[in-house]
Amino acid sequence: MILAVTGGKGGVGKSTVAFNLAAELRGVVVDADLGMADLPASRGPDLHDVLAGRAAPLEAVRESGPVAILPCGRSLAGARAADPARLCDAVEAVERAYGTVVVDCPAGLRADAGLPLVVASACVVVTTPSEAAIADAMRARELAREFDAGLVRVAVNRAGANPPTARVADLFGAPAVPIPDSERLGRAQSSGQPVRSLAPASARVVEQFETLARAVQSCRA
């Protein structure tokens, strides 16, 4: 299964949701934001190299960390050398080898933002409760619809005390899962760890990622 994690607005926590979902699903997370990569990186070939034809997709997957990841480079030269048209083939190669792939999509509605949705069978849309973020996420949801990437859930990140989950669910036509504000979540992401590694399994934020993962698994079944 290939799951795209998308959202219209940058800074809503899309990468955090993708990383933690990959951990829950025991899959590989692919950092497909070719110009503004945000997931953990390390030495070795990365997605820029894969898309430039300098490395094979499986060669670039890192299995040594808590979450298997195909990272993306950070250099402008790497981004310029990458051919986005190779992305679908690269993600499909990872899926064949690992079974489950979670793709962290670029923010916004640029042409490269739609590429992971072309190859994905399903998607999770990420937003925050702000009206601007919801409006941008709705546009991302429409883009996913155009490419037949079925919407599994809407993740309402930094949900606050009274998240608008009912309204969001009504707008998007899919259940909304609130991801609570969590200092441990931010600390885990900064250290390249899923939040489960720093929080007990009963913590609310861990429970919500479990809820998202179960919804994805039921979609796959």
Side-chain angles (χ1 to χ4, degrees), residues 19 25 34 45 57 61 65 83 89 100 106 121 124 128-129 138 142 145 154-155 159 161 165 179 189 210:
F19 188 70
L25 295 167
L34 304 183
V61 175
D83 178 4
D89 288 342
T100 300
S121 57
V124 168
T128 61
M138 281 291 294
E142 290 306 313
R145 195 197 302 272
V154 182
T165 50
I179 307 297
Q189 191 76 5
E210 289 175 343

Side-chain angles (χ1 to χ4, degrees), residues 16 19-20 23 40 64-67 184-199 209:
T16 299
F19 188 70
N20 281 276
S64 57
V67 181
R184 281 180 293 192
L185 178 57
R187 184 154 46 93
Q189 191 76 5
S190 296
S191 62
Q193 301 282 330
V195 69
R196 178 180 288 280
S197 67
L198 297 184
F209 281 122

Side-chain angles (χ1 to χ4, degrees), residues 96-174:
R96 286 192 295 272
Y98 290 91
T100 300
V101 180
V102 179
V103 185
D104 181 19
C105 299
L109 298 175
R110 306 189 312 265
D112 60 341
L115 284 173
L117 296 168
V118 173
V119 73
S121 57
C123 72
V124 168
V125 173
V126 183
T127 185
T128 61
S130 78
E131 291 299 322
I134 291 171
D136 284 341
M138 281 291 294
R139 287 189 279 272
R141 192 266 183 276
E142 290 306 313
L143 185 63
R145 195 197 302 272
E146 288 181 21
F147 292 117
D148 293 324
L151 178 59
V152 179
R153 291 291 186 274
V154 182
V156 183
N157 198 32
R158 304 185 199 112
N162 297 294
T165 50
R167 176 171 174 268
V168 168
D170 184 60
L171 285 171
F172 285 80

